[in-house]
């Protein structure tokens, strides 16, 4: 009796396998291959992308106004992505800071990505190029964290840590505290960075989502330099110990 059930099971499996490829006998194999690829793509193998303009804002301090931007984006699947990140400042008709990163990202858990790549700072002068290794993700209680280790083409190591949180006051009104810390393991006097904790940038922004993809905001920002960085002469007239009012837009698509 057991052999009978075994044969019946094998026959059922063979019939199922044949039924899954039965269309091959009636349709062009090339068309069938394309159809199977489309089916696979729509069930977990999609290539998605995102462009997020986190900050595009005017900062006003002591009567002077400068434009600040921070954006990032990615393209890829659930596990493997290619990222770009950029941030910088523009004032008095010139770029005071301009940074661009190109990264490969590998998901190491459902909410965390390990990232490696390159960073190039076109400004301040002289420019610097860095190797980058970082970890970005969503911590418990919905804190968005991004930590990166840099090795410059001058052989200097440095760290950056960013944390953000979104406090939803209503369905469209959101309060967002933000913190960025920068630290260096050695001095790089040419770009005005000293060893130890070099700068802290704290911000609080209140945005209104006209649409989920578009939200104007207002807020405040405070940046402070520490240690040896404070003692260096400001590079390109950048002032690092100032409070600013900010107004800008956040967008994604």
């Amino acid at each position: 009796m057991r052999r009978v059930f075994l044969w019946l099971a094998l026959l059922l499996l063979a019939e199922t396998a044949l039924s899954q490829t039965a269309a091959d006998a009636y349709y062009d194999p090339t068309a069938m291959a394309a159809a199977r690829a489309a089916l696979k793509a729509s069930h977990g193998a999609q290539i998605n992308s995102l462009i997020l303009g986190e900050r595009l804002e005017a900062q006003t301090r002591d009567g002077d106004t400068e434009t600040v931007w921070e954006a990032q984006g990615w393209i890829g699947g659930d596990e493997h992505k290619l990222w770009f990140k950029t941030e910088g400042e523009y004032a008095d008709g010139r770029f005071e800071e301009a940074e661009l990163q190109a990264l490969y990202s590998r998901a190491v858990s459902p909410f965390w990505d390990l990232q490696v790549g390159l960073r190039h700072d076109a400004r301040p002068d002289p420019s610097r190029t860095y190797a980058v290794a970082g970890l970005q993700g969503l911590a418990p209680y919905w804190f968005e964290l991004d930590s990166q280790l840099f090795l410059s083409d001058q052989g200097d190591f440095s760290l950056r840590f960013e944390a953000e949180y979104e406090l939803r006051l209503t369905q469209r009104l959101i309060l967002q505290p933000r913190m960025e810390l920068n630290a260096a393991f050695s001095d790089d006097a040419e770009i005005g960075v000293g060893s130890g904790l070099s700068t802290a940038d704290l911000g609080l922004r209140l945005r209104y989502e006209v649409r989920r993809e578009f939200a104007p905001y207002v807020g405040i920002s405070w940046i402070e330099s520490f240690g040896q960085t404070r003692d260096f002469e400001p590079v390109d007239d950048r002032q690092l110990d100032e409070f600013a009012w900010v107004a800008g837009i956040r967008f994604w698509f």
Side-chain angles (χ1 to χ4, degrees):
M1 183 61 71
R2 294 178 58 184
R3 290 187 177 181
V4 172
F5 281 115
L6 179 61
W7 279 109
L8 288 175
L10 292 174
L11 288 173
L12 182 60
L13 290 174
E15 181 63 23
T16 301
L18 289 174
S19 65
Q20 291 178 349
T21 59
D24 291 346
Y26 303 96
Y27 295 97
D28 187 333
T30 304
M32 289 303 302
R36 290 195 175 95
L39 180 64
K40 182 180 179 181
S42 61
H43 285 75
Q46 300 98 329
I47 299 297
N48 299 310
S49 63
L50 174 71
I51 302 292
L52 171 61
E54 188 68 52
R55 293 187 295 153
L56 178 57
E57 65 190 26
Q59 293 192 357
T60 301
R61 50 172 61 90
D62 294 334
D64 298 323
T65 301
E66 63 183 20
T67 302
V68 175
W69 77 87
E70 179 185 4
Q72 58 183 308
W74 56 263
I75 182 171
D78 292 336
E79 294 186 345
H80 306 277
K81 296 183 180 70
L82 295 177
W83 281 74
F84 81 90
K85 299 180 182 180
T86 180
E87 61 183 71
E89 298 177 9
Y90 183 84
D92 298 328
R94 64 178 181 176
F95 291 98
E96 295 186 344
E97 293 184 3
E99 172 187 321
L100 178 64
Q101 296 186 26
L103 305 169
Y104 163 74
S105 175
R106 172 72 161 84
V108 293
S109 77
F111 296 102
W112 292 94
D113 289 343
L114 180 65
Q115 300 174 336
V116 295
L118 293 175
R119 162 190 165 189
H120 179 71
D121 289 5
R123 300 289 294 178
D125 190 29
S127 63
R128 291 283 186 269
T129 299
Y130 302 83
V132 182
L135 189 64
Q136 181 173 0
L138 190 64
Y141 302 101
W142 305 100
F143 286 93
E144 297 180 17
L145 305 180
D146 187 0
S147 58
Q148 293 185 303
L149 173 67
F150 304 110
L151 173 61
S152 77
D153 53 9
Q154 305 298 307
D156 298 312
F157 281 96
S158 57
L159 286 169
R160 176 183 295 164
F161 175 76
E162 297 182 51
E164 295 180 355
Y165 186 78
E166 295 190 347
L167 180 60
R168 191 171 289 277
L169 303 178
T170 70
Q171 286 296 316
R172 295 182 179 275
L173 195 62
I174 297 167
L175 186 65
Q176 183 191 54
R178 176 183 180 274
M179 176 183 70
E180 177 182 321
L181 302 176
N182 289 280
F185 292 91
S186 57
D187 295 343
D188 189 344
E190 290 186 315
I191 57 174
V193 174
S195 61
L197 179 62
S198 52
T199 61
D201 187 352
L202 306 179
L204 185 65
R205 292 167 175 80
L206 180 66
R207 73 172 186 263
Y208 181 79
E209 292 185 340
V210 180
R211 298 174 57 89
R212 297 303 181 199
E213 300 88 345
F214 180 80
Y217 62 81
V218 295
I220 55 175
S221 176
W222 175 76
I223 185 169
E224 176 76 45
S225 59
F226 302 92
Q228 189 67 32
T229 300
R230 177 189 290 275
D231 298 332
F232 287 135
E233 291 292 330
V235 176
D236 293 340
D237 297 327
R238 287 183 301 150
Q239 299 300 318
L240 297 178
D241 306 314
E242 293 181 341
F243 170 86
W245 297 98
V246 306
I249 58 171
R250 180 183 187 271
F251 61 91
W252 60 268
F253 57 88

